[in-house]
C-alpha cells in the first residue's frame, strides 16, 4: 500500500525589503529547500508574494512602474534554479508570486496574485490565482501604509481547484482567502486533504485598529475552523517581521483535520516548520461528523451563492 504520509515544510520568510534582489531572495528559498530535504520533507511551501516585498503597500499612479515586481514567466530566469534544485533533491514546492500574463487576444496583460504547486519532478501541477482581494483600489493617503491589492491584481477567475498530487488531494488559497469559509468548503466539496496557504498579514489594520491585538488569534481561528469543518490539513505560511517599516504577523502553522495546531513557527524570520501529515486522518472527519453526503442540506444554503451582501429582514 502506498504511503499517505506527506512531510510538509512550511517555509516561513522573514521580511523581504524593497532593495533585496530576486537573486538574494531565491538564495533564501534555496536554503529552506535544502533544509526541507535534510529534514525529510516531500513538499516545501513558501508564502504569498514570496519573491518580493509586499509591494501593494505603496501606490504608484502608473501601475507599469511596478512591473518589475511581477513574474512574466514561471519558471523565469531567476527562478529556474529553484525548479532545478527541487528536481535534483526530489522535493516538491509551492510558491506565491505576482503573475503578469502574456497578452491575451485583446492584447491585455493580466496581473494576478498567484501560487503554484510543483511536483517532485519539477513539473507544475497546478496554478491558483487569489480569489478574495482585500484592501482598496484607490490611493488612501491617510493610511500609514497602503493595502492596494485591489489596484495591483485582478481577482482570480478560476476559483478554488483541487489536484491529485503528493499521493493525495491538494488545494491552494492565498492569504485573505483563508478568512472566508467558502474557500475551504468549495475545496472540501472536492475532497481536499491538504490546503496550502501563503500569507502576508500586517499587524496593523487601518480600517479598525481594535483588531490589531487579535491578528494572531484570528489567523489561527480561521485556519483551525476551516481544517476541522472540512476534515483537511491546512498549511499556513507567513512572511513575518518588519518589512519596510510594517510589522507582519508570522505564526506559520500546520493544522490537522481535527483543528489542532501540530506545528508552529517560533520566530518571525526565515524558519522551516515541519509536520508529518497523515492524509488518511482526513477520513476520520470527512467520514463521520462532516460526512457531507449524509448530513449537508445544500437546499438550505442557496443564499450563499444567490446573494453577495447582507439583506436584512423587514
Ligand atoms: N495579503 C493579504 O491578503 N492580507 C490581508 C490583510 C488584511 S486586509 C487589508 C489578510 O487577510 O491577512
Amino acid at each position: 500500500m502506498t504511503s499517505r504520509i506527506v512531510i510538509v515544510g512550511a517555509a516561513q520568510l522573514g521580511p523581504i525589503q524593497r532593495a533585496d534582489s530576486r537573486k538574494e531572495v531565491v538564495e533564501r528559498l534555496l536554503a529552506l529547500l535544502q533544509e526541507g530535504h535534510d529534514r525529510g520533507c516531500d513538499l516545501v511551501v513558501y508564502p504569498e508574494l514570496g519573491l518580493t516585498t509586499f509591494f501593494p503597500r505603496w501606490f504608484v499612479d502608473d501601475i507599469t512602474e511596478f512591473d518589475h515586481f511581477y513574474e512574466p514567466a514561471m519558471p523565469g530566469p531567476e527562478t529556474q534554479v529553484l525548479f532545478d534544485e527541487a528536481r535534483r533533491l526530489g522535493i516538491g514546492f509551492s510558491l506565491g508570486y505576482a503573475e503578469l500574463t502574456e497578452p491575451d487576444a485583446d492584447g491585455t496583460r493580466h496581473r494576478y496574485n498567484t501560487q503554484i504547486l510543483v511536483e517532485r519532478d519539477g513539473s507544475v501541477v497546478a496554478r491558483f490565482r487569489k480569489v478574495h482581494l482585500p484592501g482598496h483600489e484607490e490611493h488612501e493617503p491617510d493610511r500609514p501604509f497602503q493595502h492596494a491589492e485591489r489596484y495591483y491584481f485582478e481577482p482570480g477567475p478560476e476559483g478554488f481547484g483541487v489536484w491529485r498530487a503528493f499521493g493525495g488531494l491538494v488545494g491552494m488559497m492565498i492569504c485573505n482567502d483563508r478568512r472566508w469559509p467558502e474557500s475551504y468548503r468549495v475545496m472540501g466539496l472536492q475532497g481536499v486533504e491538504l490546503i496550502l496557504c501563503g500569507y502576508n498579514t500586517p499587524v496593523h489594520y487601518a480600517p479598525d485598529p481594535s483588531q490589531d491585538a487579535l491578528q494572531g488569534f484570528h489567523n489561527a481561528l480561521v485556519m483551525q475552523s476551516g481544517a476541522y469543518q472540512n476534515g483537511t490539513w491546512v498549511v499556513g505560511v507567513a512572511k513575518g517581521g518588519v518589512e519596510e517599516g510594517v510589522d507582519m504577523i508570522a505564526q506559520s502553522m500546520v493544522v490537522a483535520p481535527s483543528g489542532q495546531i501540530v506545528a508552529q513557527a517560533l520566530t518571525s524570520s526565515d524558519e522551516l516548520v515541519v509536520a508529518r501529515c497523515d492524509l488518511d486522518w482526513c477520513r476520520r472527519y470527512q467520514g463521520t461528523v462532516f460526512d457531507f453526503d449524509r448530513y449537508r442540506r445544500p437546499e438550505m444554503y442557496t443564499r450563499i451563492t444567490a446573494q453577495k451582501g447582507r439583506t436584512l429582514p423587514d
Side-chain angles (χ1 to χ4, degrees), residues 49-75:
L49 300 182
L51 293 168
T52 64
T53 198
F54 189 81
F55 63 85
R57 72 168 61 91
W58 296 287
F59 198 89
V60 285
D61 288 326
D62 177 358
I63 199 170
T64 63
E65 275 180 45
F66 271 9
D67 276 359
H68 59 284
F69 285 122
Y70 293 76
E71 306 302 313
M74 186 55 70

Side-chain angles (χ1 to χ4, degrees), residues 80 82-91 120-123:
Q80 181 65 53
L82 188 64
F83 285 71
D84 293 345
E85 190 61 4
R87 188 172 50 245
R88 193 183 72 78
L89 296 172
I91 188 169
R120 289 161 279 211
D121 63 359
S123 60

Side-chain angles (χ1 to χ4, degrees), residues 188-209:
L189 286 165
Q190 298 169 78
V192 75
E193 297 171 319
L194 181 63
I195 297 179
L196 313 176
C197 176
Y199 62 92
N200 280 257
T201 299
V203 172
H204 180 55
Y205 182 59
D208 176 17

Side-chain angles (χ1 to χ4, degrees), residues 104-310:
D104 65 13
D106 302 337
T108 309
R109 302 185 79 186
H110 300 274
R111 292 171 172 78
Y112 297 109
N113 189 338
T114 297
Q115 185 172 327
I116 48 164
L117 178 62
V118 179
E119 258 289 7
R120 289 161 279 211
D121 63 359
S123 60
V124 178
V125 181
R127 181 191 60 206
F128 168 75
R129 291 161 168 165
K130 187 172 182 175
V131 168
H132 299 97
L133 294 177
H136 46 101
E137 292 84 357
E138 311 279 342
H139 187 222
E140 296 192 2
D142 291 340
R143 288 175 177 252
F145 53 88
Q146 305 292 296
H147 197 108
E149 277 195 68
R150 297 174 70 85
Y151 175 65
Y152 287 109
F153 301 115
E154 292 176 47
E158 293 115 359
F160 296 100
V162 169
W163 294 271
R164 291 188 185 278
F166 298 91
L169 295 162
V170 184
M172 291 180 277
M173 61 185 177
I174 300 179
C175 196
N176 193 261
D177 290 323
R178 78 196 189 287
R179 301 188 191 274
W180 299 91
E182 293 88 348
S183 311
Y184 303 85
R185 184 49 53 91
V186 170
M187 288 187 265
L189 286 165
Q190 298 169 78
V192 75
E193 297 171 319
L194 181 63
I195 297 179
L196 313 176
C197 176
Y199 62 92
N200 280 257
T201 299
V203 172
H204 180 55
Y205 182 59
D208 176 17
S210 78
Q211 296 180 29
D212 295 4
L214 301 173
Q215 288 290 0
F217 166 63
H218 289 155
N219 182 49
L221 177 72
V222 293
M223 291 196 284
Q224 290 185 263
S225 54
Y228 169 64
Q229 290 167 347
N230 294 280
T232 180
W233 290 88
V234 174
V235 180
V237 190
K239 178 114 67 67
V242 181
E243 191 178 88
E244 295 292 341
V246 176
D247 198 8
M248 316 280 285
I249 70 163
Q251 300 178 31
S252 299
M253 64 181 70
V254 180
V255 183
S258 59
Q260 292 167 289
I261 297 170
V262 298
Q264 190 164 13
L266 297 174
T267 74
S268 305
S269 314
D270 290 13
E271 178 181 344
L272 193 75
V273 178
V274 177
R276 184 180 179 276
C277 302
D278 181 351
L279 302 185
D280 287 333
W281 206 263
C282 299
R283 288 303 310 156
R284 290 177 180 266
Y285 290 86
Q286 293 181 3
T288 59
V289 64
F290 295 115
D291 180 342
F292 288 173
D293 265 334
R294 187 168 185 190
Y295 297 120
R296 284 185 81 249
R297 301 281 315 281
E299 68 279 15
M300 296 293 133
Y301 317 144
T302 53
R303 267 185 195 277
I304 287 178
T305 52
Q307 184 176 324
K308 186 175 181 194
R310 293 178 177 85

